[in-house]
Amino acid sequence: MYQALLIKYAEIGIKGKNRHLFEDRLMHQMAVALRKVDGSFETVKEMGRIFVMPHGECDKEGAIEALQTVFGITGICPVLIVTDMAFDHVAEELVGYVKQNYPASSCASQTFKINARRPWKAYPKDSMELNADLGEAVLNACPYLTVDVHHPDILITVEVRQSGVYIYSKVIPGPGGLPVGTSGRAELLLSGGIDSPVAGYMIAKRGVEIDAVYFHAPPYTSERAKQKVVDLAKQISIYTGPIHLHVINFTDIQLAIYEKCPHEELTIIMRRYMMRLAEIFAKKDGALGLITGESIGQVASQTTQSLLCTNAVCTLPVFRPLIGFDKQEIINISEKIGTYETSILPFEDCCTIFVAKHPVTHPLLKVIEKSEHSLDDVIGPLMEQAIETAETITVGN
Ligand code: ATP
Ligand code: MG
């Protein structure tokens, strides 16, 4: 199937003097992902390129799948390595490779180009000669293919190194982004919905490590609702790496808000307390920002005026990667990353328990702040209690 995988990474190639830091982190993340795959894989950097070498019996398909979860990788190329480098033998192996990967039945009237490189200058043929002679060998053996040097359907790279001739032509897409661990840490407000897992995925894709908070309201919300959030955290941890999920009991705070504040303002005031608590846990975790799954206009608490009121209690930046996304666009990503099926399980959410019939859609910050004053006598101890009784669950390690 392949003797090595050549790993392509775009953006991290342009980080100047920091380049090796990004590459080292990428290799570390790859090694972590490959640990879960059967067999032994070595990750090596050679002349500015990263390769994965399988050793002995191993799950080669599984390795590709695992690498497709590593942010920073843009493409994964299965490579055939020919170690007997006599030209005739290389040509024979190349022809076998082309016949196997591009058989006549599936490639009628396709065009190809050989893209030879010779990093090992001692090889008797230079790259021009290799292009011409290997191209001829393929043409003779595969008459259904023709050459197009400008816009080939199939670009076959042949790299002559001291250790062997490397042949590859297919690029399996990676997830892109930057390796997790190169951009600090942020705290995800993770609910059981569709949006917040996607938001966490998107920020982790930019290299950010993730921890999370979940607010539950027992007995109004069930153990199963909590387990759903733990499952979602596990699912995104495949991409983000380990997550500390703080499960915060929000019941008494919600009841106090319900008792003392105008009902049409419940959701907005509740959201402000969620942000305040999330920020406290963010600081404990060393996180430099909060992440939510908010999108402008999706619900009453996500109008621009509502977002202003929610944001006003935060001192950390709030990352809202879905802010301009339509619901369907978010669903498409959640299906791609594998969280959708869990997200749509019909368990209750603490936000919907105490929801008003007619929530304000244009809250005024001054009015909301005034309403919150009626909590002054009780909220301090309730916040303390919520912090002290939080349960931390670690997933993905
Ligand atoms: P989601 O699909 O992510 O639940 P939503 O469309 O239901 O979002 P809201 O309920 O308004 O929207 O929540 C907005 C954001 O607030 C969520 O994306 C999430 O980041 C955060 N959030 C809401 N409820 C909770 C909760 N119980 N625990 C933690 N974070 C929450
Ligand atoms: Mg929700």
Side-chain angles (χ1 to χ4, degrees), residues 36-209:
K36 296 174 198 129
V37 183
D38 284 341
S40 150
F41 296 89
E42 190 189 357
T43 305
V44 289
K45 186 155 78 173
E46 211 185 273
M47 303 203 313
R49 281 158 172 260
I50 294 176
F51 289 95
V52 171
M53 303 289 186
H55 293 305
E57 278 285 298
C58 38
D59 178 4
K60 290 184 171 183
E61 288 274 2
I64 293 176
E65 270 173 40
L67 292 168
Q68 284 184 297
T69 67
V70 178
F71 292 132
I73 294 179
T74 57
I76 303 160
C77 309
V79 182
L80 170 69
I81 304 178
V82 183
T83 46
D84 172 356
M85 295 166 71
F87 177 78
D88 287 347
H89 184 252
V90 172
E92 199 180 309
E93 289 283 331
L94 173 66
V95 165
Y97 172 89
V98 173
K99 282 186 170 167
Q100 193 187 353
N101 286 283
Y102 308 100
S105 51
S106 69
C107 290
S109 77
Q110 291 233 49
T111 61
F112 79 100
K113 174 186 176 179
I114 304 287
N115 171 32
R117 294 194 212 151
R118 192 184 53 153
W120 185 47
K121 298 292 175 216
Y123 195 73
K125 283 183 191 281
D126 67 20
S127 47
M128 295 294 277
E129 289 168 316
L130 284 166
N131 281 336
D133 296 352
L134 291 173
E136 192 181 315
V138 171
L139 276 176
N140 288 339
C142 309
Y144 53 92
L145 295 176
T146 51
V147 172
D148 181 342
V149 292
H150 300 295
H151 305 288
D153 300 317
I154 307 163
L155 179 67
I156 304 167
T157 300
V158 178
E159 258 182 48
V160 181
R161 295 164 174 257
Q162 194 158 11
S163 55
V165 177
Y166 289 52
I167 298 172
Y168 58 90
S169 60
K170 295 203 167 162
V171 186
I172 299 161
L178 300 170
V180 170
T182 55
S183 311
R185 181 178 294 279
E187 199 81 8
L188 170 65
L189 283 87
L190 181 61
S191 69
I194 294 170
D195 307 326
S196 45
V198 173
Y201 168 91
M202 288 184 64
I203 295 299
K205 186 174 176 210
R206 300 305 304 162
V208 179
E209 287 180 283

Side-chain angles (χ1 to χ4, degrees), residues 189-191 193-197 213-215 271 274 291-294 298-299 301-302 327 349-351:
L189 283 87
L190 181 61
S191 69
I194 294 170
D195 307 326
S196 45
V213 291
Y214 164 59
F215 298 94
R271 304 264 322 119
M274 281 188 181
I291 307 165
T292 75
E294 289 161 314
Q298 205 188 72
V299 286
S301 60
Q302 296 176 28
K327 195 73 186 185
D349 172 36
C350 75
C351 296

Side-chain angles (χ1 to χ4, degrees), residues 5-7 9 23 26-27 30 43-45 49-51:
L5 293 170
L6 167 66
I7 302 303
Y9 49 100
E23 287 174 339
L26 177 62
M27 288 177 65
M30 288 167 53
T43 305
V44 289
K45 186 155 78 173
R49 281 158 172 260
I50 294 176
F51 289 95

